[in-house]
mmCIF file of all heavy atoms in Angstrom:
data_model
loop_
_atom_site.group_PDB
_atom_site.id
_atom_site.type_symbol
_atom_site.label_atom_id
_atom_site.label_comp_id
_atom_site.label_asym_id
_atom_site.label_seq_id
_atom_site.Cartn_x
_atom_site.Cartn_y
_atom_site.Cartn_z
ATOM 1 N N PRO A 1 48.327 -43.710 82.820
ATOM 2 C CA PRO A 1 49.169 -44.905 82.724
ATOM 3 C C PRO A 1 48.338 -46.147 82.373
ATOM 4 O O PRO A 1 47.087 -46.157 82.434
ATOM 5 C CB PRO A 1 49.774 -45.048 84.088
ATOM 6 C CG PRO A 1 48.763 -44.441 84.997
ATOM 7 C CD PRO A 1 48.163 -43.322 84.228
ATOM 8 N N THR A 2 49.010 -47.239 82.027
ATOM 9 C CA THR A 2 48.392 -48.469 81.577
ATOM 10 C C THR A 2 48.093 -49.342 82.784
ATOM 11 O O THR A 2 48.052 -48.914 83.929
ATOM 12 C CB THR A 2 49.257 -49.117 80.546
ATOM 13 O OG1 THR A 2 48.606 -50.251 80.014
ATOM 14 C CG2 THR A 2 50.598 -49.571 81.142
ATOM 15 N N LEU A 3 47.820 -50.675 82.525
ATOM 16 C CA LEU A 3 47.424 -51.573 83.600
ATOM 17 C C LEU A 3 48.492 -51.738 84.691
ATOM 18 O O LEU A 3 48.147 -51.790 85.877
ATOM 19 C CB LEU A 3 47.174 -52.969 82.991
ATOM 20 C CG LEU A 3 45.864 -53.165 82.219
ATOM 21 C CD1 LEU A 3 45.893 -54.497 81.460
ATOM 22 C CD2 LEU A 3 44.686 -53.160 83.188
ATOM 23 N N ASN A 4 49.752 -51.773 84.316
ATOM 24 C CA ASN A 4 50.816 -52.176 85.230
ATOM 25 C C ASN A 4 51.605 -51.005 85.692
ATOM 26 O O ASN A 4 52.323 -50.370 84.849
ATOM 27 C CB ASN A 4 51.687 -53.232 84.512
ATOM 28 C CG ASN A 4 52.569 -53.992 85.455
ATOM 29 O OD1 ASN A 4 52.349 -53.966 86.683
ATOM 30 N ND2 ASN A 4 53.580 -54.633 84.945
ATOM 31 N N THR A 5 51.553 -50.691 86.941
ATOM 32 C CA THR A 5 52.393 -49.636 87.503
ATOM 33 C C THR A 5 52.960 -50.120 88.859
ATOM 34 O O THR A 5 52.660 -51.216 89.280
ATOM 35 C CB THR A 5 51.631 -48.323 87.745
ATOM 36 O OG1 THR A 5 50.741 -48.497 88.861
ATOM 37 C CG2 THR A 5 50.829 -47.887 86.514
ATOM 38 N N ASP A 6 53.687 -49.275 89.480
ATOM 39 C CA ASP A 6 54.311 -49.646 90.785
ATOM 40 C C ASP A 6 53.898 -48.596 91.853
ATOM 41 O O ASP A 6 54.738 -48.144 92.631
ATOM 42 C CB ASP A 6 55.815 -49.743 90.670
ATOM 43 C CG ASP A 6 56.497 -50.357 91.920
ATOM 44 O OD1 ASP A 6 55.742 -50.902 92.759
ATOM 45 O OD2 ASP A 6 57.681 -50.209 92.093
ATOM 46 N N TRP A 7 52.687 -48.112 91.793
ATOM 47 C CA TRP A 7 52.147 -47.233 92.818
ATOM 48 C C TRP A 7 50.659 -47.538 93.041
ATOM 49 O O TRP A 7 50.002 -48.145 92.226
ATOM 50 C CB TRP A 7 52.385 -45.756 92.498
ATOM 51 C CG TRP A 7 51.639 -45.208 91.303
ATOM 52 C CD1 TRP A 7 50.390 -44.752 91.268
ATOM 53 C CD2 TRP A 7 52.134 -45.047 89.971
ATOM 54 N NE1 TRP A 7 49.999 -44.281 90.009
ATOM 55 C CE2 TRP A 7 51.106 -44.477 89.193
ATOM 56 C CE3 TRP A 7 53.352 -45.355 89.353
ATOM 57 C CZ2 TRP A 7 51.240 -44.204 87.824
ATOM 58 C CZ3 TRP A 7 53.486 -45.082 87.985
ATOM 59 C CH2 TRP A 7 52.456 -44.502 87.242
ATOM 60 N N TRP A 8 50.140 -47.023 94.151
ATOM 61 C CA TRP A 8 48.776 -47.318 94.517
ATOM 62 C C TRP A 8 47.861 -46.568 93.620
ATOM 63 O O TRP A 8 48.041 -45.384 93.290
ATOM 64 C CB TRP A 8 48.549 -46.935 95.988
ATOM 65 C CG TRP A 8 47.432 -47.741 96.591
ATOM 66 C CD1 TRP A 8 46.122 -47.414 96.699
ATOM 67 C CD2 TRP A 8 47.577 -49.022 97.174
ATOM 68 N NE1 TRP A 8 45.412 -48.425 97.304
ATOM 69 C CE2 TRP A 8 46.300 -49.474 97.607
ATOM 70 C CE3 TRP A 8 48.642 -49.924 97.347
ATOM 71 C CZ2 TRP A 8 46.056 -50.647 98.227
ATOM 72 C CZ3 TRP A 8 48.420 -51.115 97.960
ATOM 73 C CH2 TRP A 8 47.153 -51.474 98.419
ATOM 74 N N ASN A 9 46.756 -47.228 93.205
ATOM 75 C CA ASN A 9 45.782 -46.610 92.333
ATOM 76 C C ASN A 9 44.702 -45.891 93.138
ATOM 77 O O ASN A 9 43.551 -46.337 93.242
ATOM 78 C CB ASN A 9 45.141 -47.664 91.413
ATOM 79 C CG ASN A 9 44.212 -47.086 90.373
ATOM 80 O OD1 ASN A 9 44.314 -45.875 90.056
ATOM 81 N ND2 ASN A 9 43.252 -47.873 89.910
ATOM 82 N N TYR A 10 45.111 -44.783 93.758
ATOM 83 C CA TYR A 10 44.168 -44.057 94.586
ATOM 84 C C TYR A 10 43.046 -43.489 93.755
ATOM 85 O O TYR A 10 43.269 -42.766 92.757
ATOM 86 C CB TYR A 10 44.883 -42.867 95.296
ATOM 87 C CG TYR A 10 45.863 -43.323 96.358
ATOM 88 C CD1 TYR A 10 47.243 -43.218 96.131
ATOM 89 C CD2 TYR A 10 45.431 -43.827 97.575
ATOM 90 C CE1 TYR A 10 48.147 -43.593 97.153
ATOM 91 C CE2 TYR A 10 46.343 -44.211 98.545
ATOM 92 C CZ TYR A 10 47.677 -44.082 98.325
ATOM 93 O OH TYR A 10 48.580 -44.493 99.299
ATOM 94 N N GLY A 11 41.814 -43.759 94.102
ATOM 95 C CA GLY A 11 40.665 -43.285 93.376
ATOM 96 C C GLY A 11 39.974 -42.099 94.047
ATOM 97 O O GLY A 11 40.096 -41.944 95.254
ATOM 98 N N GLY A 12 39.254 -41.318 93.266
ATOM 99 C CA GLY A 12 38.439 -40.286 93.838
ATOM 100 C C GLY A 12 38.745 -38.872 93.347
ATOM 101 O O GLY A 12 39.518 -38.669 92.429
ATOM 102 N N ILE A 13 38.075 -37.946 93.993
ATOM 103 C CA ILE A 13 38.336 -36.491 93.717
ATOM 104 C C ILE A 13 39.472 -36.140 94.688
ATOM 105 O O ILE A 13 39.245 -35.822 95.817
ATOM 106 C CB ILE A 13 37.086 -35.648 93.961
ATOM 107 C CG1 ILE A 13 35.924 -36.142 93.086
ATOM 108 C CG2 ILE A 13 37.367 -34.173 93.636
ATOM 109 C CD1 ILE A 13 34.585 -35.412 93.349
ATOM 110 N N THR A 14 40.698 -36.239 94.190
ATOM 111 C CA THR A 14 41.847 -36.226 95.051
ATOM 112 C C THR A 14 42.440 -34.831 95.230
ATOM 113 O O THR A 14 43.381 -34.678 96.068
ATOM 114 C CB THR A 14 42.949 -37.154 94.533
ATOM 115 O OG1 THR A 14 43.273 -36.742 93.194
ATOM 116 C CG2 THR A 14 42.459 -38.601 94.486
ATOM 117 N N ARG A 15 41.906 -33.863 94.532
ATOM 118 C CA ARG A 15 42.414 -32.461 94.668
ATOM 119 C C ARG A 15 41.295 -31.475 94.788
ATOM 120 O O ARG A 15 40.104 -31.858 94.683
ATOM 121 C CB ARG A 15 43.366 -32.111 93.500
ATOM 122 C CG ARG A 15 44.585 -33.029 93.444
ATOM 123 C CD ARG A 15 45.508 -32.707 92.242
ATOM 124 N NE ARG A 15 46.536 -33.711 92.179
ATOM 125 C CZ ARG A 15 47.282 -33.901 91.062
ATOM 126 N NH1 ARG A 15 47.096 -33.128 89.996
ATOM 127 N NH2 ARG A 15 48.219 -34.812 91.036
ATOM 128 N N ASP A 16 41.619 -30.205 95.000
ATOM 129 C CA ASP A 16 40.614 -29.184 95.251
ATOM 130 C C ASP A 16 39.557 -29.054 94.185
ATOM 131 O O ASP A 16 39.833 -29.224 93.012
ATOM 132 C CB ASP A 16 41.306 -27.811 95.440
ATOM 133 C CG ASP A 16 42.247 -27.747 96.597
ATOM 134 O OD1 ASP A 16 41.974 -28.468 97.610
ATOM 135 O OD2 ASP A 16 43.281 -27.057 96.533
ATOM 136 N N VAL A 17 38.353 -28.710 94.630
ATOM 137 C CA VAL A 17 37.257 -28.403 93.692
ATOM 138 C C VAL A 17 36.798 -26.977 94.068
ATOM 139 O O VAL A 17 36.613 -26.648 95.310
ATOM 140 C CB VAL A 17 36.093 -29.366 93.845
ATOM 141 C CG1 VAL A 17 35.003 -29.018 92.783
ATOM 142 C CG2 VAL A 17 36.566 -30.800 93.676
ATOM 143 N N LYS A 18 36.602 -26.113 93.057
ATOM 144 C CA LYS A 18 36.186 -24.753 93.346
ATOM 145 C C LYS A 18 35.350 -24.188 92.231
ATOM 146 O O LYS A 18 35.384 -24.691 91.082
ATOM 147 C CB LYS A 18 37.429 -23.859 93.537
ATOM 148 C CG LYS A 18 38.367 -23.776 92.362
ATOM 149 C CD LYS A 18 39.592 -22.899 92.633
ATOM 150 C CE LYS A 18 40.670 -23.636 93.443
ATOM 151 N NZ LYS A 18 41.909 -22.816 93.587
ATOM 152 N N LEU A 19 34.554 -23.176 92.576
ATOM 153 C CA LEU A 19 33.823 -22.385 91.585
ATOM 154 C C LEU A 19 34.615 -21.079 91.336
ATOM 155 O O LEU A 19 34.990 -20.432 92.296
ATOM 156 C CB LEU A 19 32.422 -22.071 92.087
ATOM 157 C CG LEU A 19 31.520 -23.276 92.400
ATOM 158 C CD1 LEU A 19 30.215 -22.805 92.991
ATOM 159 C CD2 LEU A 19 31.294 -24.127 91.164
ATOM 160 N N ILE A 20 34.832 -20.778 90.090
ATOM 161 C CA ILE A 20 35.535 -19.583 89.682
ATOM 162 C C ILE A 20 34.629 -18.702 88.879
ATOM 163 O O ILE A 20 34.054 -19.125 87.861
ATOM 164 C CB ILE A 20 36.815 -19.900 88.933
ATOM 165 C CG1 ILE A 20 37.770 -20.755 89.792
ATOM 166 C CG2 ILE A 20 37.515 -18.609 88.459
ATOM 167 C CD1 ILE A 20 38.994 -21.253 89.074
ATOM 168 N N GLU A 21 34.451 -17.434 89.338
ATOM 169 C CA GLU A 21 33.593 -16.505 88.603
ATOM 170 C C GLU A 21 34.432 -15.458 87.877
ATOM 171 O O GLU A 21 35.412 -14.934 88.429
ATOM 172 C CB GLU A 21 32.647 -15.805 89.584
ATOM 173 C CG GLU A 21 31.632 -14.872 88.952
ATOM 174 C CD GLU A 21 30.597 -14.364 89.949
ATOM 175 O OE1 GLU A 21 30.474 -14.980 91.038
ATOM 176 O OE2 GLU A 21 29.895 -13.395 89.630
ATOM 177 N N THR A 22 34.116 -15.199 86.620
ATOM 178 C CA THR A 22 34.844 -14.250 85.821
ATOM 179 C C THR A 22 33.899 -13.264 85.152
ATOM 180 O O THR A 22 32.695 -13.557 85.038
ATOM 181 C CB THR A 22 35.629 -14.977 84.685
ATOM 182 O OG1 THR A 22 34.736 -15.425 83.682
ATOM 183 C CG2 THR A 22 36.469 -16.135 85.257
ATOM 184 N N PRO A 23 34.386 -12.157 84.688
ATOM 185 C CA PRO A 23 33.574 -11.261 83.823
ATOM 186 C C PRO A 23 33.217 -12.000 82.548
ATOM 187 O O PRO A 23 33.784 -13.082 82.237
ATOM 188 C CB PRO A 23 34.469 -10.065 83.522
ATOM 189 C CG PRO A 23 35.533 -10.100 84.605
ATOM 190 C CD PRO A 23 35.724 -11.558 84.939
ATOM 191 N N SER A 24 32.287 -11.469 81.751
ATOM 192 C CA SER A 24 31.843 -12.141 80.548
ATOM 193 C C SER A 24 32.978 -12.260 79.529
ATOM 194 O O SER A 24 33.053 -13.262 78.794
ATOM 195 C CB SER A 24 30.687 -11.362 79.906
ATOM 196 O OG SER A 24 31.030 -9.986 79.664
ATOM 197 N N THR A 25 33.898 -11.268 79.506
ATOM 198 C CA THR A 25 35.142 -11.397 78.761
ATOM 199 C C THR A 25 36.248 -11.449 79.804
ATOM 200 O O THR A 25 36.373 -10.534 80.638
ATOM 201 C CB THR A 25 35.340 -10.200 77.807
ATOM 202 O OG1 THR A 25 34.297 -10.250 76.816
ATOM 203 C CG2 THR A 25 36.704 -10.271 77.134
ATOM 204 N N TYR A 26 37.070 -12.453 79.744
ATOM 205 C CA TYR A 26 38.011 -12.702 80.838
ATOM 206 C C TYR A 26 39.383 -13.151 80.282
ATOM 207 O O TYR A 26 39.533 -13.471 79.117
ATOM 208 C CB TYR A 26 37.502 -13.762 81.781
ATOM 209 C CG TYR A 26 37.303 -15.132 81.129
ATOM 210 C CD1 TYR A 26 38.294 -16.101 81.214
ATOM 211 C CD2 TYR A 26 36.140 -15.430 80.458
ATOM 212 C CE1 TYR A 26 38.103 -17.356 80.620
ATOM 213 C CE2 TYR A 26 35.952 -16.674 79.845
ATOM 214 C CZ TYR A 26 36.935 -17.610 79.970
ATOM 215 O OH TYR A 26 36.768 -18.858 79.367
ATOM 216 N N ILE A 27 40.392 -13.045 81.159
ATOM 217 C CA ILE A 27 41.743 -13.512 80.810
ATOM 218 C C ILE A 27 41.767 -15.009 80.892
ATOM 219 O O ILE A 27 41.712 -15.562 81.980
ATOM 220 C CB ILE A 27 42.779 -12.885 81.780
ATOM 221 C CG1 ILE A 27 42.719 -11.341 81.691
ATOM 222 C CG2 ILE A 27 44.158 -13.415 81.455
ATOM 223 C CD1 ILE A 27 43.478 -10.677 82.829
ATOM 224 N N GLN A 28 41.880 -15.651 79.750
ATOM 225 C CA GLN A 28 41.831 -17.125 79.728
ATOM 226 C C GLN A 28 43.194 -17.736 79.832
ATOM 227 O O GLN A 28 43.372 -18.752 80.455
ATOM 228 C CB GLN A 28 41.146 -17.587 78.434
ATOM 229 C CG GLN A 28 40.915 -19.076 78.364
ATOM 230 C CD GLN A 28 42.025 -19.838 77.665
ATOM 231 O OE1 GLN A 28 42.504 -19.410 76.644
ATOM 232 N NE2 GLN A 28 42.430 -20.940 78.239
ATOM 233 N N ASP A 29 44.225 -17.022 79.259
ATOM 234 C CA ASP A 29 45.539 -17.671 79.245
ATOM 235 C C ASP A 29 46.622 -16.565 79.154
ATOM 236 O O ASP A 29 46.358 -15.469 78.674
ATOM 237 C CB ASP A 29 45.619 -18.562 78.018
ATOM 238 C CG ASP A 29 46.847 -19.472 78.009
ATOM 239 O OD1 ASP A 29 47.461 -19.660 79.096
ATOM 240 O OD2 ASP A 29 47.201 -20.018 76.968
ATOM 241 N N TYR A 30 47.797 -16.877 79.667
ATOM 242 C CA TYR A 30 48.904 -15.992 79.490
ATOM 243 C C TYR A 30 50.225 -16.738 79.754
ATOM 244 O O TYR A 30 50.237 -17.752 80.432
ATOM 245 C CB TYR A 30 48.829 -14.752 80.391
ATOM 246 C CG TYR A 30 48.788 -15.019 81.857
ATOM 247 C CD1 TYR A 30 49.977 -15.243 82.588
ATOM 248 C CD2 TYR A 30 47.593 -15.063 82.552
ATOM 249 C CE1 TYR A 30 49.940 -15.550 83.951
ATOM 250 C CE2 TYR A 30 47.523 -15.330 83.918
ATOM 251 C CZ TYR A 30 48.698 -15.549 84.603
ATOM 252 O OH TYR A 30 48.674 -15.822 85.974
ATOM 253 N N VAL A 31 51.259 -16.186 79.183
ATOM 254 C CA VAL A 31 52.628 -16.572 79.476
ATOM 255 C C VAL A 31 53.409 -15.300 79.774
ATOM 256 O O VAL A 31 53.385 -14.358 78.964
ATOM 257 C CB VAL A 31 53.288 -17.343 78.332
ATOM 258 C CG1 VAL A 31 54.800 -17.442 78.555
ATOM 259 C CG2 VAL A 31 52.680 -18.695 78.179
ATOM 260 N N ILE A 32 54.055 -15.238 80.916
ATOM 261 C CA ILE A 32 54.952 -14.127 81.249
ATOM 262 C C ILE A 32 56.265 -14.761 81.746
ATOM 263 O O ILE A 32 56.329 -15.353 82.802
ATOM 264 C CB ILE A 32 54.355 -13.246 82.358
ATOM 265 C CG1 ILE A 32 52.946 -12.794 82.015
ATOM 266 C CG2 ILE A 32 55.294 -12.095 82.626
ATOM 267 C CD1 ILE A 32 52.858 -11.851 80.834
ATOM 268 N N GLN A 33 57.312 -14.672 80.864
ATOM 269 C CA GLN A 33 58.557 -15.339 81.150
ATOM 270 C C GLN A 33 59.736 -14.498 80.680
ATOM 271 O O GLN A 33 59.544 -13.566 79.892
ATOM 272 C CB GLN A 33 58.634 -16.694 80.441
ATOM 273 C CG GLN A 33 57.850 -17.813 81.099
ATOM 274 C CD GLN A 33 58.261 -19.187 80.611
ATOM 275 O OE1 GLN A 33 59.195 -19.320 79.823
ATOM 276 N NE2 GLN A 33 57.528 -20.186 81.034
ATOM 277 N N LEU A 34 60.896 -14.898 81.120
ATOM 278 C CA LEU A 34 62.105 -14.294 80.600
ATOM 279 C C LEU A 34 62.422 -14.896 79.251
ATOM 280 O O LEU A 34 62.284 -16.114 79.008
ATOM 281 C CB LEU A 34 63.253 -14.615 81.575
ATOM 282 C CG LEU A 34 64.431 -13.647 81.553
ATOM 283 C CD1 LEU A 34 64.041 -12.242 81.923
ATOM 284 C CD2 LEU A 34 65.521 -14.125 82.521
ATOM 285 N N ASP A 35 62.800 -14.065 78.314
ATOM 286 C CA ASP A 35 63.207 -14.510 76.969
ATOM 287 C C ASP A 35 64.479 -15.336 77.131
ATOM 288 O O ASP A 35 65.439 -14.886 77.653
ATOM 289 C CB ASP A 35 63.474 -13.327 76.067
ATOM 290 C CG ASP A 35 63.799 -13.716 74.643
ATOM 291 O OD1 ASP A 35 64.056 -14.931 74.395
ATOM 292 O OD2 ASP A 35 63.816 -12.820 73.776
ATOM 293 N N PRO A 36 64.460 -16.617 76.668
ATOM 294 C CA PRO A 36 65.649 -17.479 76.811
ATOM 295 C C PRO A 36 66.913 -16.880 76.195
ATOM 296 O O PRO A 36 68.042 -17.139 76.624
ATOM 297 C CB PRO A 36 65.290 -18.750 76.117
ATOM 298 C CG PRO A 36 63.770 -18.778 76.115
ATOM 299 C CD PRO A 36 63.347 -17.342 76.045
ATOM 300 N N GLY A 37 66.706 -16.033 75.218
ATOM 301 C CA GLY A 37 67.867 -15.435 74.507
ATOM 302 C C GLY A 37 68.266 -14.059 74.938
ATOM 303 O O GLY A 37 69.232 -13.489 74.467
ATOM 304 N N ASN A 38 67.534 -13.481 75.894
ATOM 305 C CA ASN A 38 67.755 -12.121 76.323
ATOM 306 C C ASN A 38 67.282 -11.945 77.739
ATOM 307 O O ASN A 38 66.104 -11.827 78.001
ATOM 308 C CB ASN A 38 67.066 -11.107 75.381
ATOM 309 C CG ASN A 38 67.397 -9.662 75.719
ATOM 310 O OD1 ASN A 38 67.970 -9.373 76.776
ATOM 311 N ND2 ASN A 38 67.038 -8.752 74.843
ATOM 312 N N LYS A 39 68.203 -11.915 78.682
ATOM 313 C CA LYS A 39 67.868 -11.857 80.123
ATOM 314 C C LYS A 39 67.328 -10.501 80.534
ATOM 315 O O LYS A 39 66.939 -10.348 81.700
ATOM 316 C CB LYS A 39 69.064 -12.240 80.954
ATOM 317 C CG LYS A 39 69.455 -13.692 80.840
ATOM 318 C CD LYS A 39 70.802 -14.005 81.481
ATOM 319 C CE LYS A 39 70.755 -13.816 82.947
ATOM 320 N NZ LYS A 39 72.032 -14.156 83.627
ATOM 321 N N ASP A 40 67.265 -9.499 79.613
ATOM 322 C CA ASP A 40 66.701 -8.226 79.932
ATOM 323 C C ASP A 40 65.373 -8.019 79.238
ATOM 324 O O ASP A 40 64.848 -6.888 79.182
ATOM 325 C CB ASP A 40 67.666 -7.100 79.518
ATOM 326 C CG ASP A 40 68.955 -7.111 80.343
ATOM 327 O OD1 ASP A 40 68.872 -7.474 81.537
ATOM 328 O OD2 ASP A 40 70.021 -6.759 79.767
ATOM 329 N N LEU A 41 64.771 -9.113 78.771
ATOM 330 C CA LEU A 41 63.516 -9.017 78.030
ATOM 331 C C LEU A 41 62.492 -10.017 78.612
ATOM 332 O O LEU A 41 62.717 -11.206 78.613
ATOM 333 C CB LEU A 41 63.720 -9.304 76.551
ATOM 334 C CG LEU A 41 62.466 -9.185 75.683
ATOM 335 C CD1 LEU A 41 62.031 -7.722 75.635
ATOM 336 C CD2 LEU A 41 62.820 -9.676 74.269
ATOM 337 N N ILE A 42 61.375 -9.471 79.132
ATOM 338 C CA ILE A 42 60.257 -10.273 79.540
ATOM 339 C C ILE A 42 59.308 -10.430 78.356
ATOM 340 O O ILE A 42 58.974 -9.471 77.707
ATOM 341 C CB ILE A 42 59.525 -9.622 80.706
ATOM 342 C CG1 ILE A 42 60.422 -9.604 81.986
ATOM 343 C CG2 ILE A 42 58.241 -10.378 81.056
ATOM 344 C CD1 ILE A 42 59.894 -8.771 83.116
ATOM 345 N N LYS A 43 58.942 -11.688 78.106
ATOM 346 C CA LYS A 43 58.254 -11.963 76.869
ATOM 347 C C LYS A 43 57.075 -12.924 77.116
ATOM 348 O O LYS A 43 57.122 -13.719 78.067
ATOM 349 C CB LYS A 43 59.253 -12.590 75.865
ATOM 350 C CG LYS A 43 58.830 -12.576 74.411
ATOM 351 C CD LYS A 43 60.012 -12.977 73.553
ATOM 352 C CE LYS A 43 59.659 -12.939 72.061
ATOM 353 N NZ LYS A 43 60.823 -13.300 71.209
ATOM 354 N N GLY A 44 56.104 -12.884 76.231
ATOM 355 C CA GLY A 44 54.997 -13.846 76.354
ATOM 356 C C GLY A 44 53.766 -13.352 75.584
ATOM 357 O O GLY A 44 53.877 -12.655 74.592
ATOM 358 N N TYR A 45 52.581 -13.712 76.071
ATOM 359 C CA TYR A 45 51.326 -13.306 75.445
ATOM 360 C C TYR A 45 50.234 -13.321 76.510
ATOM 361 O O TYR A 45 50.360 -13.894 77.584
ATOM 362 C CB TYR A 45 50.952 -14.233 74.308
ATOM 363 C CG TYR A 45 50.644 -15.658 74.706
ATOM 364 C CD1 TYR A 45 49.388 -16.002 75.158
ATOM 365 C CD2 TYR A 45 51.611 -16.689 74.609
ATOM 366 C CE1 TYR A 45 49.085 -17.300 75.572
ATOM 367 C CE2 TYR A 45 51.308 -17.957 75.028
ATOM 368 C CZ TYR A 45 50.050 -18.284 75.487
ATOM 369 O OH TYR A 45 49.763 -19.552 75.893
ATOM 370 N N ILE A 46 49.134 -12.671 76.159
ATOM 371 C CA ILE A 46 47.917 -12.733 76.940
ATOM 372 C C ILE A 46 46.753 -13.021 75.974
ATOM 373 O O ILE A 46 46.717 -12.513 74.875
ATOM 374 C CB ILE A 46 47.629 -11.399 77.662
ATOM 375 C CG1 ILE A 46 48.790 -10.981 78.557
ATOM 376 C CG2 ILE A 46 46.350 -11.449 78.509
ATOM 377 C CD1 ILE A 46 48.682 -9.606 79.126
ATOM 378 N N LYS A 47 45.839 -13.824 76.398
ATOM 379 C CA LYS A 47 44.733 -14.254 75.576
ATOM 380 C C LYS A 47 43.412 -14.065 76.327
ATOM 381 O O LYS A 47 43.246 -14.582 77.439
ATOM 382 C CB LYS A 47 44.861 -15.758 75.124
ATOM 383 C CG LYS A 47 43.748 -16.226 74.258
ATOM 384 C CD LYS A 47 43.954 -17.694 73.892
ATOM 385 C CE LYS A 47 42.831 -18.213 72.997
ATOM 386 N NZ LYS A 47 43.035 -19.669 72.687
#
C-alpha cells in the first residue's frame, strides 16, 4: 500500500520462518481442483 492507510504499520518478520529441504528434483508447483464445468472431474497440473 501507499503512504496513507487506516491500519497500524507493524514492522518486522511478522510470520513464520523455516528451512525446507527437498530432493534435487522436486515438486515446485501444482493445482488440484474441481473443474468448474464438470463436478465429476478433478483437474490441474503438477510442475
Side-chain angles (χ1 to χ4, degrees):
T2 186
L3 284 169
N4 196 16
T5 73
D6 190 14
W7 66 84
W8 207 265
N9 185 24
Y10 291 109
I13 304 176
T14 58
R15 297 178 188 165
D16 296 328
V17 184
K18 61 181 80 173
L19 301 176
I20 298 174
E21 185 171 343
T22 72
S24 56
T25 295
Y26 62 94
I27 300 166
Q28 186 266 317
D29 192 17
Y30 60 82
V31 167
I32 308 293
Q33 282 195 7
L34 204 61
D35 184 348
N38 184 348
K39 291 170 65 177
D40 293 327
L41 183 64
I42 294 170
K43 197 170 182 179
Y45 66 83
I46 303 171
K47 180 180 179 181

